[in-house]
Amino acid sequence: MDVRNDLLRILVALLLVWCCSSCAALTESQLQTVQKLAVSGDSVAAAPSVLFRELAAIRTERGLFYAASLTGAEARFRELNALAAAAREDEKLAERTDVCVDVLNSYLRALRSISNPARWKQIGTEMRGLGKNLDSVILRFNQLDWVDLELPQGVAKLSGKYAGYLSENYMKNRQAVAVREFVSEGDTLVAVCVDALVQLLRKQEVQELIDNEETGLRNNYLAYLQRVEALGQLPTVDHDRRYMTLLEDLEKAQKIRDKCVSGLQSLKRAHHKLLTQLDKRERWDYWYEELTELNTLAVQLNQLL
């Protein structure tokens, strides 16, 4: 009987060793790399929404200068109502962009959480909530009528699936499996969202919007100055300062647009490279080229924003 028990214990031990080696945990440097990609990617993904809302704010501000140049109460009233209507339309454009941004941000936050080595014990509850949130924004994206692409919903299901795997009673090896499969499912998601946002940012209408705002700002402020001069008054320094700030904001908007495109494409490349690197059992003491580029662009965007 003792011999049988010893053989059974040896067999169980061998099985455990085999299981552990077949799903080896990620190294600390690998987990740190995943974390860094998620953090940098989050900054890049948020930029398009900021861009369109900034342009909308500039449009409203320069419209107020024009309204102040009008002499009749009725004309000024009509202009202010037109500004309000335009602001509502601008918000709709920003909301369309928000859907793609929300999908990317939800995925990257989930990735950051699922790969966090300090929090794997408490991840079960959090991942259920993140999975539901990610599932919701993916559904919103697939309902958009201006994008002819569809996102896979498997990544959201994996969020819930691995909530149990990454509980307090399981080894960190399960975290490695979760990260690998989550990144594998998410690679298509990232690619589709990035392509949709890049297509939108590269449209000629977006460049025309920026150019028109610059021309409109200059013309509207000049009309305001001419009106003040006709009244025998001087413009306030605050208005001059606001005009100069708006010009600077427009210049930044152009840079943000260009950095957005580069940053999103870098995120797509870096994420795909991450997918190919996760199975390699070597230390990642230094970021590979794609992650370095992504981090640089994220820092530049943060400075602009």
Side-chain angles (χ1 to χ4, degrees):
M1 184 65 67
D2 291 338
V3 175
R4 290 182 180 178
N5 289 336
D6 290 341
L7 288 174
L8 181 59
R9 283 195 292 269
I10 293 173
L11 179 59
V12 170
L14 289 173
L15 285 172
L16 286 174
V17 171
W18 178 81
C19 288
C20 290
S21 63
S22 64
C23 54
L26 297 174
T27 66
E28 183 178 349
S29 62
Q30 285 176 318
L31 288 175
Q32 288 176 352
T33 300
V34 176
Q35 289 276 298
K36 289 174 181 178
L37 181 142
V39 171
S40 297
D42 198 52
S43 299
V44 170
S49 290
V50 177
L51 169 64
F52 287 112
R53 284 189 168 82
E54 181 68 20
L55 289 174
I58 294 172
R59 183 177 184 178
T60 299
E61 289 289 317
R62 60 98 170 168
L64 289 173
F65 281 130
Y66 178 70
S69 73
L70 300 175
T71 55
E74 185 175 343
R76 186 166 182 169
F77 180 71
R78 286 197 302 268
E79 181 62 25
L80 289 174
N81 281 308
L83 274 177
R88 288 192 293 271
E89 291 301 313
D90 289 338
E91 181 60 27
K92 290 180 181 178
L93 175 60
E95 287 174 353
R96 289 165 59 187
T97 310
D98 285 345
V99 177
C100 294
V101 171
D102 285 348
V103 172
L104 272 177
N105 280 340
S106 294
Y107 168 74
L108 290 169
R109 286 167 188 165
L111 178 61
R112 187 167 59 197
S113 182
I114 203 173
S115 63
N116 193 330
R119 297 170 58 192
W120 68 276
K121 293 183 180 180
Q122 295 85 24
I123 208 169
T125 301
E126 182 177 358
M127 286 307 299
R128 289 186 184 93
L130 287 168
K132 291 179 181 178
N133 180 56
L134 185 53
D135 189 49
S136 175
V137 293
I138 287 175
L139 182 61
R140 285 172 55 203
F141 180 92
N142 287 339
Q143 291 173 343
L144 291 176
D145 56 5
W146 58 278
V147 178
D148 57 355
L149 303 168
E150 186 167 310
L151 291 172
Q153 296 189 39
V155 65
K157 295 176 181 177
L158 280 176
S159 297
K161 176 182 177 182
Y162 283 109
Y165 281 29
L166 295 178
S167 66
E168 189 172 355
N169 297 323
Y170 281 77
M171 300 173 63
K172 289 184 180 180
N173 294 353
R174 295 301 177 188
Q175 184 185 47
V177 176
V179 171
R180 289 187 181 98
E181 292 200 22
F182 199 68
V183 171
S184 178
E185 287 284 342
D187 199 48
T188 301
L189 180 150
V190 171
V192 170
C193 286
V194 165
D195 289 345
L197 286 171
V198 169
Q199 288 174 15
L200 177 62
L201 291 168
R202 279 182 166 173
K203 283 186 175 180
Q204 183 62 29
E205 297 89 82
V206 176
Q207 183 61 52
E208 290 175 355
L209 177 62
I210 296 174
D211 294 340
N212 288 340
E213 288 309 309
E214 182 176 0
T215 301
L217 175 60
R218 295 179 185 278
N219 292 339
N220 290 170
Y221 194 67
L222 178 59
Y224 162 74
L225 292 177
Q226 290 171 338
R227 172 60 180 163
V228 171
E229 184 180 46
L231 294 173
Q233 301 173 358
L234 292 174
T236 66
V237 175
D238 285 342
H239 284 170
D240 291 339
R241 184 179 292 111
R242 182 57 183 155
Y243 170 69
M244 294 178 65
T245 299
L246 291 173
L247 283 177
E248 183 181 351
D249 289 343
L250 274 172
E251 184 179 350
K252 285 183 179 179
Q254 180 65 62
K255 293 179 180 178
I256 290 172
R257 181 207 182 199
D258 296 339
K259 293 295 182 184
C260 271
V261 172
S262 299
L264 287 167
Q265 291 174 327
S266 178
L267 171 59
K268 178 180 174 181
R269 289 192 298 270
H271 190 277
H272 187 69
K273 184 66 176 290
L274 174 66
L275 177 61
T276 65
Q277 293 289 317
L278 280 175
D279 287 329
K280 296 183 178 180
R281 303 304 304 155
E282 62 211 30
R283 289 178 55 84
W284 292 357
D285 294 324
Y286 302 98
W287 280 29
Y288 44 78
E289 181 180 349
E290 289 80 358
L291 276 177
T292 303
E293 178 188 61
L294 174 62
N295 185 52
T296 300
L297 290 168
V299 170
Q300 292 173 350
L301 273 171
N302 281 332
Q303 291 173 343
L304 287 171
L305 297 176

